[in-house]
């Protein structure tokens, strides 16, 4: 028995954990909270919301309102003053243990793949059950593990495990502690189904389930008080809805694409779909359109322009959620989707399909990076950074001959972006819920572990040499250059290169504003209490939070070395493709120079502060650019305008049509019937003789008609 | 055209019948009308005799001329103050009724005149002679109405008796004082 | 010469006279009398047909008198109808003090 045969156990483990929490520990947790008086037991009091200043971390202590009594987790105060009950903790431990088991199994499978080139080539399919059959069509629930899935399994289970562990500390004291772990486990199951599915149906089930989990977790603090009007503070309920609805736009196009593929090929199975021979008799244009439509689903899920608007708002969810779902795994599902269909994109469909991927990706990369420059919310910066890096991944898929380049960036990005988010969560935790970087600064002295690990991740994402982000990102930039040489289209190269500069700049701006500042040690890198601009008393986080940070720092720094000698590409593509090691490519030095330029500029402005930040906004052009950037290029406003004036206008038109045409017909027919009735009822005189006259007169008329018809008068 | 006794009798009776019918309909005095109704019934009995249907004629005299006329007279007596004697006995739609009636009469006569069956029918006067010669139909009608073996109308006859019973009871119920 | 047509025309005339009375008279008793006239006219027609077909060679002995049997039943039913109708007239008169059908319009809308 080899590990890969146990692959269905991987999603089963978190599923079991979820069920245990749902059925056992959570009810006990709630009961314990009631006994301890943490949770109201009935109708009592009104809302007593305190501290409506710092976003979602408000210490809400309201009892359940008169309008909803005894609601599940309602009146859940999120804050740090609460107590995690024994049973809440027990559920969390169950979840963590399950995730450790899942990660262990994923690792075992990964190493089995690593050691077996035959397995890398063939993959492993496990048939679970037949869903249903219609005549010749058989819909099956199958799992398939190939190299891509093995990579994704590592990413999903690994990050999920660490986020589970981290959440024990981060979510401590939240009344919804058990619910959080339940939903986290649900997400993990969904994501595993997504990456394990052997056909599009299973993938789509997972795809929608992660959307649901994302909705639930963004809206985790669904009872948070709305922020004051006009403020930019996050508000979970509408953010959750926005995420769900926006991705649904892409999912709709994706569903059409899937069905187009199914109608033309008659199969959902990836192995058949990805065989170019399947398309011998099929119009290339159809496949191209289908692939672009499927990419639309990826655009929604991976928050690419123009459907990127939901991801920054999704930061209203708890930070571990942002790390797991909105940085490492779910948003990467779009990239995974394109990679899954990569043979179709690169070999079957027309080149337009990958060009669309490349343009969307490269534009999103620079677009989000520019917005990130001006954000002051630490999580918003990271959110735009995620959007930008996802754009990189799409560019990597679009320009490279295989999916290895894009997927490798997905792989490294998962670790360092999860680390960045978890680190930011640690910071937010330390400064009592504040997310505004202008009220941070100099935190390195207070929380050294967080600062060091955060620095590792920042260097990695910035592409500092020998950190993992350097290997993956410079590979993409290099491939973009090669692509330019082949196709004469250097736009992708230029955009990604400039984005690399912006990335380095805004990430170090974030680092300096948070942890460093002028006057800190090492030229502002290591700040202390003199740079701290907030009021709360920062402190290092507990071990459950720092351990994941440390564990993530290692892959963030080191996994890049796997790409040396085409290790990763060889593995992923089963030896089909190799790409040059960026270490020895002269082009790489351009990328490194650009990254160092960005780091240096950020250092000058925010670390040493020899160049005041005012220089950017002191001139009219800079001010205008800054206004546009801080307003995110007014995309949200544009969508609001579209919805308000175009969608609602159409709705209003439809309403008018309904009121005057449809209702007019309905009411008109009713009214005309009434009028006719009014008129004809006058004939009902009640006088029998009138009726008699009508009977005989009618008989006469009939007789006359018969006479005329039979020609009785003629002869 | 042979002017035999049957022909003479028919025209006499027909003129009496039509004239008294018109009198019933047109007369202002309802009592006079009722008396003319008795004449109508009698004349109809005469027509039946001409048609060799002496049983019907006798029944006609017994029931119509006897019972119904008396019944109508009783009704008139019981409601004698109901109708004003000065106002018209006709309703406002009398002109319409006249048009319909005349048109219907014209239509019926036209139809009868152009009917193949009627044209092909035998001469009634032969039957009349037959009746005078004593070949009555009473026995045959009795057989038809009462014989349980022959092709008969026993069942309709019994139903008719039930109808009469219901009518008697119904008339009593409707007509009695509260 | 008296033929079947003579009786049919006579019946038609009497029927239409009765119809005119039924449709135009205001007095309910007069209407009833008119209806009796109409019924008599129908009876005349039926008996005339019966007599005419007595000599039809193909007709069975029963069918030859069918018209007369019908007339008997009509007389029966007419008697019943007259009794009930007069009872109704009296009942209406007792309740509304009128037998003018123009004013008896309970079926009015």
């Amino acid at each position: 028995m080899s590990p890969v045969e146990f692959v269905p156990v991987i999603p089963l483990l978190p599923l079991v954990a979820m069920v245990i929490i749902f059925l056992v520990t959570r009810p006990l947790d709630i009961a314990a909270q009631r006994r301890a008086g943490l949770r109201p037991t009935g109708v009592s009091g009104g809302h007593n919301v305190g501290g409506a200043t710092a976003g979602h971390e408000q210490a809400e202590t309201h009892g359940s309102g008169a309008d909803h009594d005894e609601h599940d987790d309602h009146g859940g105060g999120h804050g740090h003053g609460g107590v995690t009950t024994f049973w809440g903790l027990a559920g969390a431990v169950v979840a963590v243990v399950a995730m450790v088991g899942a990660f262990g199994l994923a690792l075992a499978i990964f190493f089995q793949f690593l050691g077996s080139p035959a397995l890398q080539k063939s993959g492993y399919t496990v048939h679970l059950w037949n869903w249903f059959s219609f005549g010749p069509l058989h819909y099956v629930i199958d799992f398939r593990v190939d190299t891509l899935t093995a990579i994704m399994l590592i990413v999903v289970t690994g990050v999920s495990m660490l986020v589970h562990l981290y959440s024990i500390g981060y979510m401590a004291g939240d009344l919804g502690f058990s619910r959080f772990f339940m939903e986290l486990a649900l997400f993990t199951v969904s994501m595993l189904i997504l990456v394990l599915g052997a056909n599009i149906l299973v993938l789509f089930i997972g795809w929608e389930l992660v959307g649901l989990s994302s909705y639930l977790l963004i809206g985790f603090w669904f009872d948070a008080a709305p922020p004051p009007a006009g403020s930019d503070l996050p508000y979970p309920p509408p953010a959750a809805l926005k995420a769900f609805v926006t991705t649904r736009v892409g999912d709709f196009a994706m569903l059409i694409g899937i069905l187009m593929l199914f109608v033309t090929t008659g199969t959902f199975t990836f192995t058949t779909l990805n065989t170019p021979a399947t398309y011998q008799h099929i119009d290339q244009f159809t496949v191209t359109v289908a692939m672009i439509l499927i990419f639309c689903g990826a655009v929604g899920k991976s928050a690419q322009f123009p459907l990127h608007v939901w991801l920054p708002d999704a930061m209203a969810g708890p930070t571990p959620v942002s790390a797991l779902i909105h940085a490492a795994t779910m948003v990467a599902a779009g990239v995974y989707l394109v990679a899954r269909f990569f043979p179709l994109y690169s070999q079957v469909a027309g080149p337009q399909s990958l060009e669309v991927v490349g343009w969307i990706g490269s534009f999103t990369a620079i677009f989000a990076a520019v917005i990130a420059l001006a954000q002051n919310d630490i999580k918003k910066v990271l959110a735009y950074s995620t959007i930008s890096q996802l754009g990189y991944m799409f560019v990597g898929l679009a320009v490279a001959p295989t999916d290895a380049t894009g997927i490798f960036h997905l792989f490294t990005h998962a670790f360092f972006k999860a680390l960045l988010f978890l680190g930011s969560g640690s910071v937010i935790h330390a400064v009592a819920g504040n997310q505004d970087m202008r009220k941070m600064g100099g935190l390195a002295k207070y929380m050294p572990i967080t600062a060091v690990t955060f620095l590792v991740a920042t260097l990695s994402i910035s592409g500092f040499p020998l950190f993992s982000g350097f290997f993956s990102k410079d590979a993409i930039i290099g491939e973009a250059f090669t692509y330019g040489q082949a196709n004469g289209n250097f736009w992708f190269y230029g955009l990604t290169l400039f984005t690399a500069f912006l990335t380095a700049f805004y990430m170090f701006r974030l680092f300096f504003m948070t942890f460093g500042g002028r006057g800190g040690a090492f030229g502002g890198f290591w700040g202390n209490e003199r740079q701290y601009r907030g009021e709360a008393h920062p402190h290092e986080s507990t071990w459950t939070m720092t351990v994941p940070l440390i564990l993530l720092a290692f892959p963030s720094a080191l996994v890049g070395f796997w790409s040396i000698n085409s290790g990763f590409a060889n593995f992923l593509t089963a030896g089909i493709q190799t790409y040059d090691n960026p270490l020895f490519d002269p082009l790489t030095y351009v990328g490194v120079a650009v990254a160092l330029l960005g780091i240096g500029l950020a250092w000058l402005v925010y670390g040493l502060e020899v160049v005041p930040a005012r220089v950017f906004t002191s001139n009219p052009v800079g001010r205008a650019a800054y206004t546009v950037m801080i307003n995110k290029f007014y995309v949200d406003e544009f969508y609001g305008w579209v919805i308000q004036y175009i969608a609602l206008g159409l709705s209003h038109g439809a309403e008018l049509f309904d009121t005057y045409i449809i209702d007019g017909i309905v009411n008109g027919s009713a009214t005309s019937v009434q009028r006719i009735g009014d008129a004809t009822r006058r004939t009902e005189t009640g006088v029998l003789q009138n009726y008699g006259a009508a009977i005989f007169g009618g008989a006469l008329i009939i007789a006359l008609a018969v006479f005329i018809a039979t020609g009785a008068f003629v002869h | 055209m042979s002017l035999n006794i049957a022909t003479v009798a028919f025209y006499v009776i027909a003129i009496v019948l039509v004239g008294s019918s018109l009198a019933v309909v047109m007369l202002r005095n309802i009592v006079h009308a009722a008396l003319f109704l008795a004449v109508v019934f009698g004349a109809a009995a005469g027509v039946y005799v001409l048609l060799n249907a002496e049983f019907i004629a006798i029944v006609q005299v017994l029931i119509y001329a006897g019972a119904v006329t008396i019944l109508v007279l009783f009704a008139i007596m019981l409601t004698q103050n109901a109708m004003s004697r000065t106002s018209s006995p006709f309703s406002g739609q009398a002109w319409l009724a006249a048009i319909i009636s005349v048109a219907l009469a014209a239509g019926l006569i036209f139809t009868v005149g152009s009917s193949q069956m009627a044209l092909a029918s035998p001469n009634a006067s032969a039957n009349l002679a037959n009746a005078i010669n004593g070949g009555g139909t009473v026995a045959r009608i009795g057989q038809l109405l009462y014989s349980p073996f022959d092709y008969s109308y026993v069942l309709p006859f019994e139903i008719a008796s039930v109808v009469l019973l219901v009518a008697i009871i119904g008339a009593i119920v409707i007509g009695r004082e509260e | 010469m008296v033929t079947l047509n003579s009786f049919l025309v006579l019946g038609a005339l009497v029927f239409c006279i009765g119809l005119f009375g039924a449709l135009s008279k205001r007095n309910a008793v007069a209407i009833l009398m008119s209806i009796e006239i109409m019924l008599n006219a129908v009876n005349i027609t039926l008996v005339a047909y019966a007599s005419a077909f007595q000599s039809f060679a193909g007709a069975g002995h029963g069918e030859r008198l069918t018209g007369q049997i019908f007339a008997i039943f009509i007389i029966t039913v007419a008697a019943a109808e007259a009794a009930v109708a007069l009872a109704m007239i009296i009942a209406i008169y007792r309740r509304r003090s009128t037998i003018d059908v123009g004013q008896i319009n309970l079926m009015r809308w």
Side-chain angles (χ1 to χ4, degrees):
Chain A
M1 296 293 277
S2 59
V4 76
E5 289 169 47
F6 291 100
V7 71
V9 177
I10 295 182
L12 199 62
L13 281 169
L15 185 67
V16 167
M18 187 185 89
V19 170
I20 289 174
I21 296 172
F22 179 63
L23 292 179
V24 183
T25 66
R26 183 156 172 271
L28 291 168
D29 181 28
I30 291 172
Q33 286 173 347
R34 289 228 175 90
R35 275 198 304 279
L38 295 171
R39 179 188 286 268
T41 52
V43 180
S44 70
H47 287 265
N48 177 20
V49 183
T53 50
H56 65 70
E57 306 274 304
Q58 306 145 3
E60 296 170 43
T61 54
H62 59 82
S64 68
D67 49 340
H68 35 45
D69 56 323
E70 192 83 52
H71 194 284
D72 170 33
D73 284 331
H74 228 350
H78 172 73
H80 308 296
V83 179
T84 309
T85 69
F86 169 76
W87 286 109
L89 210 54
V93 168
V94 168
V96 170
V97 167
M99 284 319 300
V100 169
F103 179 61
L105 194 50
L107 267 187
I109 290 170
F110 173 70
F111 283 115
Q112 193 190 351
F113 265 83
L114 207 57
S116 163
L119 197 58
Q120 291 174 20
K121 276 198 172 60
S122 64
Y124 178 80
T125 305
V126 52
H127 176 64
L128 294 184
W129 67 84
N130 292 314
W131 192 7
F132 55 88
S133 298
F134 289 131
L137 303 176
H138 301 287
Y139 301 100
V140 292
I141 303 290
D142 280 1
F143 282 172
R144 177 174 166 80
V145 193
D146 55 12
T147 49
L148 177 59
T149 299
I151 298 283
M152 292 303 290
L153 284 179
I154 292 285
V155 170
V156 173
T157 57
V159 176
S160 179
M161 175 186 74
L162 294 175
V163 165
H164 272 78
L165 182 60
Y166 179 90
S167 301
I168 294 178
Y170 190 81
M171 299 303 287
D174 195 294
L175 275 186
F177 189 80
S178 297
R179 181 165 58 94
F180 183 79
F181 277 89
M182 203 169 76
E183 292 174 359
L184 218 51
L186 173 66
F187 168 78
T188 311
V189 177
S190 315
M191 191 67 206
L192 288 169
I193 291 172
L194 197 163
V195 298
L196 280 169
N199 55 56
I200 316 178
L201 280 183
V202 181
L203 181 141
F204 196 71
I205 292 168
W207 186 272
E208 295 298 335
L209 275 175
V210 291
L212 169 71
S213 320
S214 168
Y215 169 79
L216 290 173
L217 284 164
I218 294 169
F220 181 74
W221 289 308
F222 58 86
D223 52 356
S231 83
D232 202 26
L233 293 170
Y235 183 38
L241 204 58
K242 188 175 179 182
F244 200 75
V245 172
T246 311
T247 50
R248 193 59 60 255
V249 174
D251 290 356
F252 181 67
M254 174 183 167
L255 198 56
I256 295 173
I258 287 174
L259 293 177
M260 278 176 73
L261 271 191
F262 178 69
V263 166
T264 51
T265 65
T267 181
F268 283 124
T269 314
F270 288 129
T271 44
T272 319
L273 282 174
N274 281 337
T275 310
T278 312
Y279 301 89
Q280 274 172 347
H281 307 294
I282 293 169
D283 183 21
Q284 192 194 40
F285 178 74
T286 311
V287 182
T288 309
V289 171
M291 294 330 285
I292 290 173
L293 284 171
I294 288 177
F295 175 63
C296 287
V299 166
K301 209 57 146 187
S302 293
Q304 296 296 289
F305 183 85
L307 297 178
H308 66 282
V309 291
W310 65 269
L311 188 55
D313 283 26
M315 296 301 126
T319 307
V321 171
S322 309
L324 176 62
I325 301 183
H326 305 123
T329 55
M330 187 191 84
V331 289
V335 181
Y336 169 79
L337 183 73
V338 175
R340 179 49 80 198
F341 282 117
F342 193 77
L344 274 186
Y345 276 105
S346 59
Q347 294 169 41
V348 181
Q352 299 89 348
S353 59
L354 276 182
E355 273 170 26
V356 168
V357 174
W359 277 111
I360 296 271
S362 56
F363 178 73
T364 306
I366 192 159
F367 176 78
V370 168
I371 295 176
L373 294 178
Q375 298 297 313
N376 287 316
D377 184 320
I378 183 168
K379 285 182 73 180
K380 285 272 170 71
V381 176
L382 292 176
Y384 281 108
S385 155
T386 305
I387 296 173
S388 176
Q389 298 299 313
L390 289 164
Y392 261 111
M393 296 173 204
F394 282 115
V395 174
L397 290 171
V399 297
T402 70
D403 53 346
T405 319
I407 291 298
F408 190 56
H409 194 54
L410 186 161
F411 184 60
T412 59
H413 174 261
F415 295 113
F416 60 69
K417 186 48 68 66
L419 175 53
L420 285 171
F421 266 111
L422 293 184
S424 76
S426 180
V427 168
I428 293 165
H429 203 264
V431 296
N434 173 35
Q435 297 186 19
D436 192 336
M437 293 190 295
R438 288 169 297 194
K439 291 179 182 165
M440 297 177 185
L443 292 175
K445 191 187 174 193
Y446 296 102
M447 35 201 329
I449 300 174
T450 306
V452 167
T453 53
F454 204 93
L455 182 61
V456 168
T458 309
L459 287 168
S460 186
I461 194 176
S462 303
F464 195 80
L466 303 184
F467 285 86
S468 56
F470 158 76
F471 291 98
S472 57
K473 194 153 69 177
D474 276 315
I476 290 173
I477 297 171
E479 292 285 0
F481 183 76
T482 314
Y483 179 85
Q485 283 178 318
N487 297 298
N489 177 1
F490 282 97
W491 275 103
F492 297 158
Y493 175 67
L495 288 172
T496 48
L497 195 62
F498 188 60
T499 305
F501 164 73
L502 293 177
T503 305
F505 178 76
Y506 70 69
M507 282 314 298
F508 271 89
R509 168 177 177 267
L510 185 153
F511 183 81
F512 285 120
M513 283 183 81
T514 307
F515 294 102
R518 183 181 181 180
F522 310 112
F525 273 93
W526 201 260
N528 53 41
E529 62 276 353
R530 285 200 303 280
Q531 283 86 39
Y532 183 55
R533 298 181 289 273
E535 292 91 34
H537 300 290
H539 55 84
E540 183 58 282
S541 303
T542 56
W543 68 270
T544 55
M545 289 165 72
T546 51
V547 165
L549 295 180
I550 295 164
L551 288 178
L552 276 170
F554 288 102
S556 297
L558 301 175
V559 291
F561 288 100
W562 190 14
S563 69
I564 288 178
N565 292 328
S566 300
F568 181 84
N570 270 330
F571 173 76
L572 189 70
T573 59
I576 294 169
Q577 190 253 345
T578 59
Y579 62 79
D580 292 333
N581 186 343
L583 267 183
F584 307 109
D585 184 352
L587 262 175
T588 303
Y589 304 127
V590 179
V592 170
V594 160
L596 290 177
L597 198 64
I599 296 172
L601 188 60
W603 193 16
L604 289 177
V605 177
Y606 296 100
L608 299 171
E609 297 188 27
V610 295
V611 180
R614 286 198 318 277
V615 296
F616 299 123
T617 54
S618 57
N619 58 77
V621 176
R623 221 174 6 252
Y626 181 77
T627 310
V628 169
M629 277 149 64
I630 204 157
N631 285 300
K632 308 153 206 165
F633 287 91
Y634 297 100
V635 174
D636 276 321
E637 283 74 10
F638 173 71
Y639 287 162
W641 183 85
V642 166
I643 285 165
Q644 189 173 355
Y645 291 102
I646 295 180
L648 287 185
L650 287 174
S651 308
H652 194 64
E655 189 204 356
L656 289 179
F657 182 80
D658 190 56
T659 307
Y660 290 104
I661 309 295
I662 303 292
D663 285 6
I665 290 168
V666 173
N667 292 341
S669 57
T671 310
S672 59
V673 166
Q674 194 184 7
R675 294 269 164 75
I676 293 167
D678 267 353
T680 52
R681 73 171 189 161
R682 307 270 164 206
T683 62
E684 301 298 304
T685 56
V687 179
L688 280 173
Q689 285 173 320
N690 297 147
Y691 301 162
I695 289 167
F696 283 96
L700 264 177
I701 291 168
I702 292 170
L704 197 63
V706 171
F707 285 159
I708 293 169
T710 57
F713 289 135
V714 178
H715 68 88
Chain B
M1 174 174 176
S2 61
L3 189 68
N4 57 25
I5 183 165
T7 311
V8 174
F10 172 77
Y11 283 109
V12 171
I13 291 171
I15 290 164
V16 170
L17 183 55
V18 172
S20 54
S21 298
L22 280 171
V24 169
V25 173
M26 303 304 289
L27 277 178
R28 187 171 287 264
N29 188 324
I30 187 75
V31 180
H32 295 171
L35 293 176
F36 271 104
L37 185 65
V39 178
V40 170
F41 292 154
V47 174
Y48 298 148
V49 170
L50 280 180
L51 285 167
N52 198 15
E54 63 279 352
F55 180 72
I56 306 286
I58 291 164
V59 168
Q60 170 83 3
V61 171
L62 280 176
I63 295 177
Y64 273 117
V68 173
T69 311
I70 299 304
L71 206 58
V72 168
L73 281 170
F74 263 101
I76 292 168
M77 192 180 73
L78 288 170
T79 62
Q80 57 184 337
N81 294 323
M83 301 299 291
S84 158
R85 288 177 189 278
T86 53
S87 62
S88 166
F90 295 109
S91 65
Q93 65 159 9
W95 58 273
L96 179 65
I99 292 171
I100 288 173
S101 303
V102 170
L104 189 66
L108 283 173
I109 290 166
F110 173 76
T111 311
V112 167
S114 59
S115 164
Q116 299 296 322
M117 182 192 281
L119 288 174
S121 68
N123 194 334
S125 48
N127 297 327
L128 184 60
N130 198 17
I132 292 166
N133 291 340
T137 58
V138 180
R140 187 71 200 126
I141 289 173
Q143 278 183 353
L144 277 175
L145 280 180
Y146 306 128
S147 166
F149 310 113
D150 202 349
Y151 175 82
S152 76
Y153 294 90
V154 170
L155 201 58
F157 185 80
E158 296 297 338
I159 293 171
S161 60
V162 173
V163 169
L164 282 173
L165 179 67
V166 171
I168 292 164
I169 297 170
I172 292 169
V173 170
I174 293 169
R176 68 177 177 155
E177 298 269 359
E178 296 299 313
Chain C
M1 195 175 68
V2 183
T3 64
L4 174 60
N5 274 13
S6 312
F7 291 96
L8 294 183
V9 170
L10 175 65
L13 280 177
V14 174
F15 181 85
C16 289
I17 292 166
L19 176 64
F20 169 69
L23 291 185
S24 63
K25 299 291 268 191
R26 287 169 57 200
N27 191 323
V29 178
I31 291 172
L32 187 69
M33 295 188 328
S34 304
I35 290 170
E36 297 295 347
I37 291 172
M38 288 162 75
L39 286 166
N40 269 283
V42 171
N43 274 352
I44 288 170
T45 311
L46 281 170
V47 174
Y49 271 117
S51 296
F53 293 145
Q54 260 182 331
S55 53
F56 264 24
H61 61 277
E63 284 82 352
R64 290 183 302 194
L65 286 174
T66 304
Q68 290 198 25
I69 302 289
F70 267 45
I72 289 168
F73 282 121
I74 288 174
I75 290 169
T76 312
V77 174
E81 169 254 332
V84 174
L86 288 168
M88 284 168 64
I89 289 169
I90 290 167
I92 289 169
Y93 171 68
R94 204 178 282 140
R95 184 161 295 201
R96 302 177 65 127
S97 297
T98 183
I99 49 172
D100 184 346
V101 292
Q103 295 173 25
I104 303 168
N105 53 3
L106 288 174
M107 296 200 296
R108 188 184 174 83
W109 34 273

